[in-house]
Amino acid sequence: FSGLTVVFSAFLNNVTAMIIVGSLTIVACKKLKLSAMPFLLAEGIYTNIGGLLTLISSIPNIIVGTAAGIGYAEFLKVAGPYCLIAFVATLYLARFLFKIKPIANEEEKATAKAMVDAFDEWETVKDRKFFYMSACVLGAIILGFALKDSIPLLKHPDIGLEVIALMGAAVMLVIYPTDVESVLNEVEWTLVLFFLGLFTLLGVMEHAGVLAMIGDWLKSPLSSGPIKGPIVMMWSSAFFSGLTDNIPLAAVLAKVLGGFQSQITELSWFADYGHMLWWSLIFGAGLGGNFTPIGSASTVVAIGILKKEGHNVTFMQYVKIGAIVVLVQLLLATGYLFGAEKIGLIQKLDPIKEKTEQTDRHDNNGSDGH
């Protein structure tokens, strides 16, 4: 289930991945007579690991990666090895934290095998034709994300990844009409209202200057050197992502870092290590969501599913687990980033040049259109 969560999170929105895998988990755990709590909490954590794998895995990745001028292949090359390391480490950590014990003897193994063999994997699929059609469309959407810059129709700077996703949704609505009212009745409206309130609050904080103030606080420590600067960026962005939400925080810090870079290019170390600040922000914002149950939308979904099944997880119960997980993952990420930079896996970035070129292309296209 952890591996499935990482794969789904890498190519889908984290919330969508959590809903799909969470639903499968509930069905499987009921059939196998297991508690769903450790599985769902672990999957909530793993969505943030999978969310680091590719440029399109999460919204913070898209925001920061675009601002830094990081391509799809470059992102996968840098983040891929860490995700594999974090996957294995978190697997053993989750086993320890949730006190999951292996099957004790041959008799229990035989009983477990009989239960698994009796499981019908197609039980939750109501329409196989729709299943295969949606799988094909989803594959086309993922290819569209990866090959966007090579497709003439999609290369225009005004066309983002969301256009490709909406095209796929439109195709599915045309080839497989759906009763809208029945779908709306199945929506978790309490979850929708929670996110509505959360993003409203964060929007007020942004307009009130609170998030910008956080960025101002970071300006001084970020210029402290090639080692301290990236470490401060990663750990502080992770901490604040856990307390608020990583999407608006990533947007604000990306703006702060872009302006910050243009102001301090005269520092001797920045030309060689400035790119580490961008990668530190990506890893910090992505992993920090595991700190609290509200730090990641997928974790909120996981806890919502558990509550619906009669398992209540309090804020502090989760933090006791999430704090340990984030600490281990950030320690691994810190060592990995500096090691990857040392061996040349992480290349220098020129986000200002990239953004200028995109702006110029946009202006030229606009002039031609007029």
Side-chain angles (χ1 to χ4, degrees):
F1 274 121
S2 298
L4 192 65
T5 304
V6 169
V7 172
F8 277 18
S9 297
F11 299 105
L12 298 173
N13 178 275
N14 283 4
V15 173
T16 306
M18 189 65 243
I19 291 173
I20 295 173
V21 180
S23 301
L24 295 175
T25 302
I26 292 296
V27 173
C29 286
K30 284 182 177 179
K31 289 285 185 180
L32 302 177
K33 299 178 182 179
L34 296 170
S35 171
M37 182 180 291
F39 289 91
L40 280 164
L41 291 182
E43 287 160 11
I45 291 169
Y46 270 103
T47 56
N48 291 316
I49 295 177
L52 271 178
L53 189 58
T54 69
L55 181 64
I56 62 167
S57 299
S58 67
I59 296 176
N61 287 5
I62 297 173
I63 293 172
V64 182
T66 302
I70 302 173
Y72 188 94
E74 176 71 13
F75 199 104
L76 180 62
K77 181 184 74 172
V78 174
Y82 172 78
C83 289
L84 181 60
I85 295 170
F87 173 82
V88 176
T90 307
L91 197 63
Y92 283 96
L93 187 60
R95 178 176 169 177
F96 169 76
L97 291 173
F98 295 115
K99 299 180 174 60
I100 299 175
K101 297 180 181 179
I103 298 176
N105 51 54
E106 293 299 324
E107 183 179 350
E108 290 185 5
K109 287 183 180 179
T111 303
K113 186 177 185 303
M115 294 172 69
V116 172
D117 291 340
F119 188 83
D120 181 11
E121 62 269 24
W122 289 102
E123 183 176 341
T124 58
V125 179
K126 298 178 181 179
D127 189 332
R128 294 196 186 189
K129 181 181 177 181
F130 173 70
F131 176 83
Y132 289 121
M133 288 168 58
S134 59
C136 292
V137 173
L138 178 60
I141 292 172
I142 294 171
L143 283 175
F145 287 157
L147 303 175
K148 177 182 180 298
D149 292 336
S150 304
I151 302 174
L153 182 64
L154 302 176
K155 288 178 67 175
H156 194 280
D158 285 341
I159 298 179
L161 299 178
E162 69 279 358
V163 175
I164 300 173
L166 287 172
M167 289 170 62
V171 169
M172 287 305 302
L173 285 173
V174 171
I175 64 178
Y176 200 90
T178 304
D179 181 8
V180 177
E181 289 186 4
S182 62
V183 173
L184 291 177
N185 289 333
E186 297 179 6
V187 173
E188 294 282 350
W189 290 109
T190 54
L191 198 61
V192 173
L193 292 173
F194 171 83
F195 285 123
L196 179 64
L198 177 63
F199 286 115
T200 300
L201 177 61
L202 291 172
V204 172
M205 290 174 63
E206 182 176 1
H207 284 289
V210 176
L211 296 181
M213 183 173 60
I214 293 174
D216 290 336
W217 289 345
L218 293 175
K219 282 186 178 180
S220 177
L222 287 182
S223 59
S224 58
I227 296 178
K228 290 182 180 179
I231 291 176
V232 168
M233 172 59 85
M234 181 187 296
W235 287 75
S236 60
S237 61
F239 177 75
F240 287 115
S241 292
L243 294 181
T244 56
D245 187 89
N246 54 9
I247 295 174
L249 188 70
V252 170
L253 290 182
K255 292 178 182 177
V256 170
L257 188 54
F260 176 67
Q261 177 169 339
S262 64
Q263 295 171 11
I264 63 167
T265 49
E266 69 274 5
L267 292 178
S268 58
W269 64 268
F270 199 89
D272 295 324
Y273 290 96
H275 57 288
M276 290 292 287
L277 293 175
W278 289 102
W279 282 109
S280 296
L281 174 56
I282 291 170
F283 276 70
L287 297 174
N290 288 327
F291 182 34
T292 67
I294 63 169
S296 168
S298 53
T299 306
V300 175
V301 173
I303 293 176
I305 295 174
L306 282 172
K307 187 176 181 180
K308 191 175 181 180
E309 295 297 320
H311 301 282
N312 288 320
V313 181
T314 66
F315 189 92
M316 289 310 300
Q317 279 179 331
Y318 181 88
V319 170
K320 289 178 182 179
I321 297 169
I324 298 174
V325 170
V326 169
L327 177 63
V328 172
Q329 290 179 344
L330 286 179
L331 287 172
L332 289 173
T334 302
Y336 171 79
L337 279 183
F338 283 104
E341 199 279 333
K342 192 73 174 177
I343 64 175
L345 184 63
I346 299 179
Q347 303 296 322
K348 295 180 183 179
L349 303 172
D350 190 4
I352 296 176
K353 179 182 177 182
E354 176 73 16
K355 290 168 72 176
T356 301
E357 290 175 351
Q358 290 179 356
T359 303
D360 291 342
R361 287 198 300 268
H362 174 69
D363 290 342
N364 291 334
N365 289 334
S367 299
D368 294 341
H370 288 304

